[in-house]
Amino acid sequence: DAGVIQSPRHEVTEMGQEVTLRCKPISGHDYLFWYRQTMMRGLELLIYFNNNVPIDDSGMPEDRFSAKMPNASFSTLKIQPSEPRDSAVYFCASSSAGGYTDTQYFGPGTRLTVL
Amino acid sequence: GDSVTQMEGPVTLSEEAFLTINCTYTATGYPSLFWYVQYPGEGLQLLLKATKADDKGSNKGFEATYRKETTSFHLEKGSVQVSDSAVYFCALSYNQGGKLIFGQGTELSVKP
């Protein structure tokens, strides 16, 4: 299996621009998670989906952030407009059943730098 | 609220030394506990887990025991290698959906 795939791996943009991060989960996994990693806040869950439906978006920092999952094999996280404080590594993860004992499989992450 | 606290890093050890990374948690329910490892430039990968009290998770020479009475899940390895250099994250999960709550991570550096 190819694992969770994320693109791009690195993104540098200027403040005010729109940024779109992409994720392809492991085939057959019904749960998809978006995390953000920063030095100040560590790893935090932004949103997760079950069968393409957003279940908990309480971690999304503000309206500038939006996430979609149009089908079982693709999800996007969009930031519009981007700000320097959005600079972070964004991880996508997926799991097969979403139970609290289940393993989440992480992608390699997208390192976002907003100038 | 629910939280995970890890010992601060960085931790620097010589090869073949004994490793302990402390992890304690606060949770309202009965969570599953995880250790994830992040190698430089990579995403996180599961190292081991335990889903109920007194369970021991183990993998690649690493071990951790779920101690409900002390709300702890300390990571240990008897003899570390240079290749174990990474950041280690303790995490808990107890909700349907599997939301993970992470500790702040502990960086381990093993010198030859």
Side-chain angles (χ1 to χ4, degrees):
Chain A
D1 197 317
V4 176
I5 298 172
Q6 291 187 247
S7 65
R9 292 293 308 274
H10 301 274
E11 176 80 34
V12 180
T13 190
E14 292 189 349
M15 183 173 61
Q17 296 298 305
E18 178 180 292
V19 175
T20 299
L21 311 181
R22 298 172 176 81
C23 174
K24 176 179 169 56
I26 292 173
S27 177
H29 281 191
D30 291 334
Y31 286 79
L32 183 139
F33 306 81
W34 283 101
Y35 292 89
R36 179 172 67 176
Q37 184 179 37
T38 62
M39 290 295 292
M40 291 296 295
R41 300 176 65 90
L43 267 163
E44 51 184 349
L45 177 69
L46 300 177
I47 185 172
Y48 79 90
F49 295 82
N50 175 214
N51 290 324
N52 314 336
V53 177
I55 302 299
D56 182 352
D57 65 355
S58 59
M60 296 285 265
E62 49 198 274
D63 291 345
R64 297 184 298 106
F65 286 69
S66 63
K68 294 181 179 180
M69 192 165 186
N71 57 61
S73 59
F74 184 65
S75 177
T76 60
L77 178 67
K78 186 175 294 187
I79 308 172
Q80 166 63 17
S82 58
E83 297 182 2
R85 60 191 167 123
D86 302 330
S87 297
V89 181
Y90 292 82
F91 289 103
C92 176
S94 68
S95 70
S96 58
Y100 71 100
T101 63
D102 290 331
T103 299
Q104 291 184 24
Y105 295 85
F106 284 74
T110 296
R111 181 174 296 277
L112 173 65
T113 302
V114 183
L115 303 174
Chain B
D2 305 316
S3 65
V4 176
T5 302
Q6 293 179 230
M7 64 186 285
E8 290 195 17
V11 173
T12 302
L13 295 174
S14 298
E15 207 166 21
E16 299 184 1
F18 184 85
L19 169 71
T20 299
I21 300 177
N22 291 336
C23 171
T24 57
Y25 67 90
T26 301
T28 52
Y30 297 96
S32 293
L33 300 173
F34 303 80
W35 277 101
Y36 280 83
V37 58
Q38 183 179 28
Y39 297 102
E42 299 183 10
L44 283 73
Q45 55 185 272
L46 179 71
L47 181 58
L48 53 85
K49 67 180 180 182
T51 59
K52 61 182 186 296
D54 299 325
D55 270 1
K56 177 185 283 187
S58 62
N59 186 26
K60 299 180 181 180
F62 291 88
E63 293 183 340
T65 301
Y66 188 159
R67 301 287 188 199
K68 182 181 164 186
E69 63 277 10
T70 55
T71 61
S72 66
F73 193 54
H74 304 322
L75 182 68
E76 296 182 337
K77 187 176 185 182
S79 176
V80 294
Q81 305 300 312
V82 173
S83 57
D84 294 326
S85 298
V87 180
Y88 292 80
F89 291 90
C90 185
L92 69 81
S93 174
Y94 65 83
N95 284 334
Q96 185 60 31
K99 174 179 176 177
L100 283 169
I101 296 172
F102 286 93
Q104 66 269 41
T106 302
E107 181 180 0
L108 171 66
S109 178
V110 181
K111 305 299 184 185

